[in-house]
């Protein structure tokens, strides 16, 4: 019985060609992926792996293909000289792919450990944040009660004296004119003490409000936009500012509010891609000032939108997800409100509302 | 420290194989039995590393289930291919030269089938039936990695 080796040769020849092609495609895909994730060790590994695979396929397949061509054209002698070289390269490629793969085994362990550490750090930070909140609550509780005690203490004396003097007066009536006058003077003295106490409190209140000053929301927005424009330009995103014609003064902490605005706009920039635009609008609505950051980016899926104000909620790698909760906190400190609306695929609108302070309300109310 | 200790056996093995690479002759022409040993050793190493890879990749949380499955299947097929090629090289040695016949006028020879090993030779030479699907699965896996990369 005699079988032609044609099928064997055919499969070997075309199989070899296909091996080269497919392994080359692997390298291309792995390269694209590693460009997309330049910091990922896994992407780097996959690229190495596919290059080793390509080296293996190419060395083996080219050897095989040359062999068939040479044998086909009756040059077995040439093939006998070439084959040790081709075979050696092939064997080296085998060991190469093995070393890359076995190295991966170690790398994976390291990455798993890194991931575990990351989760641990996240948990610890969360606990710290919670603890900090608790401490703050306790501290403010204590300050409040201390303050109340001090007030009570400083008010008690004058009030008791006044009370006693008046009671005496009421008992004796008007007969003893000299004493009557004296009593009144004493009462007045104590009343003055109370008055001065009240002004001390007013001062105290003013000093805690010192960080809150009169600012204009338009100016604030302008300053922030100036800072962030280069970041938007770099990504090819257009920033448009629709500035309200009216002055939008209010009392607030400009430093904190700038951080909040910066973060809201930065989130929009991070979400948008080249050619998208972000519109920033200021104005007055329903007796409150507002600032709107509207982008036509990818939007936020409803299931994410629900959690967006929770700490540590993020969809980005290497981010903390602390941004929006912090922004919300700042706005709340100003008795304002943060609203996030989003339509998936159409864009996101973030609005902050702030209570007004001053005459700018006038025209709107009329 | 721990990592270094673990790496040693693998690298010693690879290093030894690389040291002996000068002896690794091509199998296709049956020159030099040492070359065959080295090559067969490399096949075993290749198979072991692919088996390890397949075992590990299943639990790799950074990749989506689809990617993991494709890479797993690809690696397992490569293990099978190594076993297939390993056997093929042994069978190759058993074939007497005279069984490959060049008839005048034909450029592609034929195989005279006299014994069981002639048949084995015929089938074991068609090893691309294993390694081509293997690499296609690996390609499909790698192609989809960037899609699941968003979750990294
Ligand atoms: N303008 C926006 N467009 C689309 N997604 C957004 C936008 N703003 C926020 N997000 C989503 O909300 C998540 C939480 O935002 P944030 O609290 O600022 O945390 P981080 O920016 O650190 O991820 C982001 O990861 C992102 O997915
Ligand atoms: Mg953010």
């Amino acid at each position: 019985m005699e079988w032609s080796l044609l099928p064997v040769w055919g499969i070997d020849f075309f199989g070899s060609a296909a091996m080269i092609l497919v392994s080359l495609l692997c390298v291309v895909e792995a390269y694209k992926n590693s460009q997309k994730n330049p910091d990922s060790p896994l992407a780097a590994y996959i690229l190495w792996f596919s290059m080793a695979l390509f080296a293996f396929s190419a060395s083996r397949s080219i050897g095989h293909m040359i062999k068939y061509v040479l044998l086909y054209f009756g040059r077995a002698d040439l093939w006998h000289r070439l084959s040790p070289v081709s075979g050696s390269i092939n064997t080296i490629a085998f060991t190469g792919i093995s070393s890359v793969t076995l190295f991966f085994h170690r790398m994976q362990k390291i990455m798993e450990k890194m991931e575990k550490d990351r989760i641990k750090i996240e948990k610890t930070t969360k606990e710290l944040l919670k603890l900090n909140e608790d401490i703050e609550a306790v501290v403010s509780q204590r300050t409040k009660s201390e303050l109340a005690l001090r007030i009570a203490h400083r008010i008690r004396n004058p009030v008791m004296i006044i009370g006693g003097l008046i009671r005496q007066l009421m008992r004796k009536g008007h007969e003893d004119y000299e004493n009557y006058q004296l009593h009144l003077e004493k009462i007045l003295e104590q009343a003055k003490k109370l008055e001065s106490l009240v002004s001390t409190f007013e001062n105290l209140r003013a000093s805690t409000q010192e960080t809150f000053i009169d600012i204009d929301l338009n100016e604030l927005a302008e300053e922030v936009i100036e800072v962030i424009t280069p970041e938007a330009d770099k990504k090819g995103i257009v920033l448009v500012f629709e500035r309200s014609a009216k002055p939008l003064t209010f009392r607030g902490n400009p430093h904190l509010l700038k951080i909040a605005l910066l973060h809201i706009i930065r989130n929009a920039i991070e979400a948008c891609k080249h050619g998208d635009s972000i519109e920033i609008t200021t104005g007055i609505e329903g007796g409150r000032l507002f600032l709107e950051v509207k982008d036509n980016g990818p939007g936020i899926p409803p299931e994410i939108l629900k959690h967006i104000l929770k700490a540590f909620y993020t969809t980005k790698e290497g981010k903390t997800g602390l941004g929006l909760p912090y922004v919300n906190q700042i706005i709340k400190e100003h008795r304002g409100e943060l609203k996030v609306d989003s339509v998936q695929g159409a864009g996101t609108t973030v609005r902050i509302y702030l209570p007004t302070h001053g005459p700018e309300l006038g025209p709107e109310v009329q | 420290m721990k990592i270094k200790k673990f790496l040693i056996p693998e690298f010693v093995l690879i290093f030894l194989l690389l040291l002996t690479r000068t002896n690794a002759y091509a199998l296709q022409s049956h020159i030099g039995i040492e070359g065959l040993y080295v090559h067969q050793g490399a096949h075993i190493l290749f198979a072991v590393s692919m088996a390890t890879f397949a075992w590990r990749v299943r639990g790799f949380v950074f990749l989506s289930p689809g990617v993991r499955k494709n890479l797993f299947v690809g690696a397992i097929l490569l293990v099978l291919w190594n076993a297939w090629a390993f056997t093929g090289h042994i069978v190759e040695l058993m074939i007497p030269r005279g069984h490959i016949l060049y008839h005048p006028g034909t450029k592609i020879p034929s195989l005279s089938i006299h014994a069981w090993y002639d048949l084995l030779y015929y089938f074991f030479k068609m090893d691309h039936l294993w390694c081509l699907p293997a690499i296609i699965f690996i390609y499909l896996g790698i192609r989809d990695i960037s899609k699941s990369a968003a979750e990294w």
Side-chain angles (χ1 to χ4, degrees), chain A residues 1-9 11-19 22-23 25-27 29-30 32-33 36-37 40-43 45-46 49-50 53-54 56-57 60-61 63-64 67-68 71-73 79-80 82-92 94-106 108-112 115 315-317, chain B residues 3 6-7 10-11 13-14 17-18 21-29 31 35 38-39 42-43 45-50 52-53 56-57 59-63 71 78 81-82 85 89 92 97 100-103 107-114 119 121-123 125-129 131-133 135-136 138-140 142-147 149-150 152:
Chain A
M1 198 170 38
E2 210 179 293
W3 286 2
S4 166
L5 281 170
L6 180 66
V8 175
W9 280 33
I11 287 175
D12 218 23
F13 188 85
F14 293 107
S16 294
M19 284 293 284
V22 180
S23 62
L25 285 176
C26 287
V27 176
E29 286 297 327
K32 275 199 272 181
N33 182 46
K36 248 199 248 174
N37 303 287
S40 157
L42 181 61
Y45 165 70
I46 294 286
F49 177 74
S50 61
L53 213 59
F54 176 70
F56 150 71
S57 304
R60 184 167 192 273
S61 301
H64 279 215
K67 169 182 150 186
Y68 288 117
L71 292 185
Y72 187 83
F73 289 108
W79 172 241
H80 280 299
L82 252 177
S83 79
V85 179
S86 151
S88 304
I89 294 173
N90 191 209
T91 307
I92 294 167
F94 277 31
T95 51
I97 197 168
S98 305
S99 50
V100 170
T101 310
L102 292 175
F103 181 59
F104 167 60
H105 174 75
R106 297 298 153 215
Q108 188 189 2
K109 278 259 154 67
I110 296 167
M111 286 175 67
E112 271 166 9
E115 175 67 8
T315 58
K316 298 168 198 161
E317 190 197 0
Chain B
I3 295 155
F6 272 123
L7 284 173
E10 285 153 19
F11 278 121
L13 194 57
I14 291 159
L17 280 159
L18 287 176
R21 73 178 191 274
T22 41
N23 293 328
Y25 293 109
L27 295 151
Q28 295 97 323
S29 59
I31 296 172
V38 171
H39 189 78
H43 266 301
L45 185 64
F46 195 169
V48 167
S49 65
M50 281 304 126
T52 315
F53 180 80
R56 289 256 124 206
V57 87
F60 210 68
V61 291
F62 296 92
L63 301 173
L71 292 179
L78 278 180
W81 170 78
N82 273 295
H89 288 310
E92 220 168 7
R97 290 236 155 175
I100 294 173
L101 311 165
Y102 282 86
H103 293 296
K107 298 211 162 184
I108 292 166
S110 38
L111 184 73
S112 74
I113 314 264
H114 280 305
L119 262 178
Y121 174 79
Y122 199 89
F123 288 108
K125 280 301 263 181
M126 294 189 275
D127 59 286
H128 278 94
L129 297 178
C131 65
L132 189 57
I135 199 157
I136 288 173
I138 289 174
Y139 166 71
L140 293 176
I142 292 178
R143 191 196 59 185
D144 292 340
I145 280 181
S146 45
K147 278 189 215 152
W152 293 10

Side-chain angles (χ1 to χ4, degrees), chain B residues 82-101:
Chain B
N82 273 295
W84 191 264
F86 187 91
T87 318
H89 288 310
I90 295 169
V91 173
E92 220 168 7
L93 282 178
M94 301 165 81
I95 305 290
R97 290 236 155 175
H99 280 200
I100 294 173
L101 311 165

Side-chain angles (χ1 to χ4, degrees), chain A residues 186-198:
Chain A
K186 277 186 185 160
I187 287 170
L188 196 64
E189 197 183 303
Q190 295 302 319
K192 272 186 188 148
K193 270 193 191 165
L194 282 178
E195 260 172 51
S196 79
L197 202 61
V198 170

